[in-house]
Amino acid sequence: MCIRDRYQRRVRGTMMDDALDEDEELLEAALLCVLAGSLCELREHQRRQLYNLRRGRLTRGDLAPISGMDTPWKLVWSAQSDRAFVLTTGLTVAAFRKLLSRFGRVWSSFAPVITNFDRVGCIAKLKTRRGRPRVLDEAAGLAIVLHWLRSKGHQWELSLIFGTTPTCTSVWIQFGLTVLRHLLPRVRAARVHWPGEQELEVFSGAIHNRCPDLKHAWGLLDGVNLRCKNSGNPRVQNASYNGWLHGCFASALFVFSPDGCVAWFGVNAPGSWHDAHIAASTGLFDRLAFRVPRPYHLIADSAFPKTNSAHLCPGKILRCPKLTEELPSDPLEYRQMLQARSARQGAEWGMRAVQSCWHRLQCGELEDEFKAQREAIMVVATYLLNCLLYTYEDADEEERGELG
């Protein structure tokens, strides 16, 4: 072999070695890229797991199947027990079924439409029956909004009870609240109506039987303050801040009849307003002046000044004096004031009934940006109280009929 051939073979060997070295470098670089990508994916997966763990959310796989009888609500519904229904929904089985007969028609004919920030009042009529079936039937849809009003808990707790994801739970709560807001004023058992002359005579007789010196008192008037969140708007914050209670509140005013039902209400007023101011702005004084004949009147506490009540509706409000005020020296007026204090306790019981039955009023989570939703909660809670009392009256009449 000549020197030329040896040189060419050595050059080709060197080139092959260089090519092999380049291939090994490229392979090492590719392996490093794959390893770095795997590490990045692993780190991203760990970050997502840590985020989900800190956030804490429920998915479809974490909940019981809705189709079967595994959800707690399905067990309560199958039992049909008044004790369980009152605890869960605030209504008896009879009251729930009566309300369900009206609620189911709207539930199956309308759908929620989330278009604004408040999300209350946005429903639309269904144009077609096609599409996937709803995850909740009408009974579960009514129960989920009633249980939300009944409790102070988070929405994920309702997800565990009804088997729906938190997103669906929020949508159906707002939809059910909107339906009840428009439906309950049309339900006879839940309606709030101003009494006529015959009812005024019956109500005044009921109070007169218990308090003999109160001959023409037909109802009880009182206000309540419901806590709400602080607002970022200084004007709204100033209007809702109550200096006496040292917090932000939404005020409401109720007129209770002797049977415990609400005869009139005015809700969602600023917390800084006085009860007399709420009565004047909501038209209660005008209603008393023009729609209540003399000498019928309401019993109210000392929150209603003598001057305002006498100027706007003279003789239509019997004001109970404060404990620090001197009672009248006349024996008849003295007994009337004492009996008025005793009778006005019924208004406190009525306020307690509204707040104890529907605990969502006391949670203090609603801020002024959700003013329409806050008003809907107050209105629905008032109508539902009348619905519950009306059902109990029917049950008492049936029991008296069976015993008779």
Side-chain angles (χ1 to χ4, degrees):
M1 182 179 296
C2 62
I3 298 175
R4 182 180 177 181
D5 294 338
R6 291 178 183 176
Y7 177 77
Q8 290 180 354
R9 183 177 296 179
R10 183 175 297 176
V11 170
R12 285 196 297 268
T14 304
M15 294 175 63
M16 292 179 62
D17 293 340
D18 294 340
L20 290 175
D21 294 340
E22 291 179 359
D23 293 341
E24 290 179 356
E25 292 178 358
L26 293 175
L27 181 60
E28 291 179 359
L31 291 175
L32 289 175
C33 291
V34 172
L35 182 59
S38 300
L39 291 176
C40 290
E41 291 180 0
L42 181 60
R43 186 173 299 176
E44 180 67 17
H45 180 68
Q46 292 177 351
R47 188 188 66 81
R48 290 178 180 177
Q49 284 186 337
L50 183 61
Y51 173 76
N52 293 333
L53 181 63
R54 291 177 177 175
R55 185 184 180 189
R57 63 179 181 178
L58 294 173
T59 59
R60 178 70 267 168
D62 301 327
L63 303 170
I66 305 178
S67 58
M69 294 294 293
D70 297 333
T71 60
W73 160 246
K74 291 294 183 63
L75 299 177
V76 173
W77 174 252
S78 61
Q80 294 291 300
S81 173
D82 281 338
R83 293 177 298 179
F85 265 75
V86 170
L87 180 64
T88 306
T89 65
L91 300 177
T92 61
V93 177
F96 186 86
R97 286 189 172 275
K98 286 183 179 180
L99 185 58
L100 181 62
S101 63
R102 303 285 298 272
F103 181 85
R105 305 171 195 170
V106 184
W107 177 270
S108 58
S109 303
F110 289 81
V113 179
I114 304 176
T115 56
N116 62 343
F117 182 70
D118 208 342
R119 300 195 299 182
V120 175
C122 299
I123 60 175
K125 192 174 182 61
L126 289 175
K127 298 181 180 180
T128 178
R129 298 288 181 177
R130 299 177 181 177
R132 293 184 301 174
R134 292 179 175 176
V135 294
L136 297 178
D137 56 4
E138 57 270 13
L142 178 58
I144 194 172
V145 65
L146 291 180
H147 187 67
W148 180 73
L149 292 171
R150 182 98 172 106
S151 65
K152 293 183 180 180
H154 298 281
Q155 291 186 2
W156 60 265
E157 297 178 0
L158 296 177
S159 299
L160 296 176
I161 297 175
F162 292 90
T164 56
T165 58
T167 302
C168 292
T169 301
S170 178
V171 172
W172 295 122
I173 286 175
Q174 301 300 332
F175 176 63
L177 184 65
T178 304
V179 172
L180 289 178
R181 174 67 178 85
H182 295 86
L183 177 64
L184 285 174
R186 299 175 176 86
V187 178
R188 176 176 174 269
R191 63 177 181 174
V192 175
H193 71 286
W194 192 261
E197 292 189 12
Q198 295 182 354
E199 291 176 307
L200 290 175
E201 184 177 356
V202 174
F203 291 159
S204 62
I207 296 179
H208 177 68
N209 292 334
R210 186 175 182 86
C211 304
D213 293 321
L214 301 178
K215 296 182 179 180
H216 300 287
W218 67 270
L220 311 170
L221 175 62
D222 198 6
V224 64
N225 294 311
L226 303 173
R227 185 174 293 276
C228 62
K229 283 186 176 180
N230 298 336
S231 176
N233 190 338
R235 297 180 62 183
V236 176
Q237 173 73 8
N238 183 49
S240 61
Y241 185 80
N242 190 308
W244 180 264
L245 300 176
H246 306 289
C248 291
F249 293 87
S251 301
L253 200 63
F254 294 91
V255 174
F256 292 96
S257 56
D259 58 358
C261 295
V262 178
W264 179 91
F265 66 92
V267 297
N268 212 19
S272 60
W273 284 15
H274 198 269
D275 288 349
H277 188 188
I278 300 175
S281 62
T282 53
L284 177 60
F285 287 153
D286 296 335
R287 185 181 290 263
L288 289 173
F290 298 106
R291 296 187 59 179
V292 177
R294 291 179 179 273
Y296 295 105
H297 56 267
L298 291 174
I299 301 176
D301 58 5
S302 58
F304 292 87
K306 295 180 179 179
T307 55
N308 288 351
S309 60
H311 174 70
L312 295 175
C313 47
K316 300 300 179 65
I317 294 180
L318 178 60
R319 174 183 175 272
C320 296
K322 298 180 180 179
L323 295 177
T324 56
E325 295 181 8
E326 294 184 2
L327 294 177
S329 58
D330 184 71
L332 178 59
E333 294 182 0
Y334 179 81
R335 292 195 304 268
Q336 286 179 348
M337 291 297 101
L338 292 181
Q339 293 178 10
R341 284 180 178 176
S342 177
R344 206 200 63 80
Q345 186 62 32
E348 301 295 337
W349 295 338
M351 293 297 180
R352 179 59 181 171
V354 174
Q355 298 180 70
S356 62
C357 289
W358 315 110
H359 300 279
R360 186 62 55 178
L361 295 171
Q362 302 177 354
C363 66
E365 296 178 354
L366 298 178
E367 51 199 22
D368 197 77
E369 285 75 8
F370 293 91
K371 189 174 182 179
Q373 186 185 43
R374 187 174 63 196
E375 181 181 359
I377 292 175
M378 294 180 181
V379 173
V380 169
T382 305
Y383 283 113
L384 287 175
L385 177 64
N386 281 4
C387 183
L388 180 61
L389 294 176
Y390 186 87
T391 307
Y392 277 134
E393 290 177 1
D394 288 350
D396 293 340
E397 291 179 0
E398 293 177 0
E399 184 177 358
R400 286 195 296 268
E402 294 176 357
L403 294 178

